[in-house]
Amino acid sequence: HHSLLIKERWKASAEQIAIAYNNIGIVYEKVEDYNWAIRYHTLALRIRDSLQLLPGLSSSYMNLAVAYDRAGQKSEAKPYYY
């Protein structure tokens, strides 16, 4: 799993891994590869949710909503906007 590799190699915390996944998701959004953006934003969301990292959690929800919206998946985006 990617997070285990990152954690072992760079001694990153779970919060730092979530930030990295979030940033990777943003990069995929910039190149309009929304499926990969959604995957990475979902990974960030799972970590942030499990740790209850509230500021990051709200960003993850918004990032997922935007990625789904841009992918044309409006029904998938809607729950993340609220």
Side-chain angles (χ1 to χ4, degrees):
H1 193 266
H2 296 299
S3 62
L4 183 59
L5 176 65
I6 293 169
K7 188 172 186 173
E8 288 177 359
R9 181 172 278 175
W10 290 289
K11 306 293 184 212
S13 70
E15 183 176 9
Q16 290 169 323
I17 292 167
I19 291 167
Y21 284 155
N22 182 71
N23 291 341
I24 293 168
I26 290 169
V27 170
Y28 276 115
E29 281 184 60
K30 297 287 185 190
V31 297
E32 299 180 0
D33 191 335
Y34 301 114
N35 290 326
W36 278 104
I38 289 165
R39 288 178 186 159
Y40 278 97
H41 287 313
T42 299
L43 288 170
L45 175 65
R46 287 180 185 159
I47 293 169
R48 288 169 166 170
D49 188 39
S50 71
L51 298 174
Q52 287 300 294
L53 301 169
L54 299 181
L57 195 55
S58 62
S59 294
S60 287
Y61 279 114
M62 184 56 71
N63 289 337
L64 267 170
V66 169
Y68 275 119
D69 204 14
R70 290 181 177 163
Q73 299 177 38
K74 307 285 186 202
S75 62
E76 295 292 331
K78 191 173 181 180
Y80 294 105
Y81 278 123
Y82 299 103

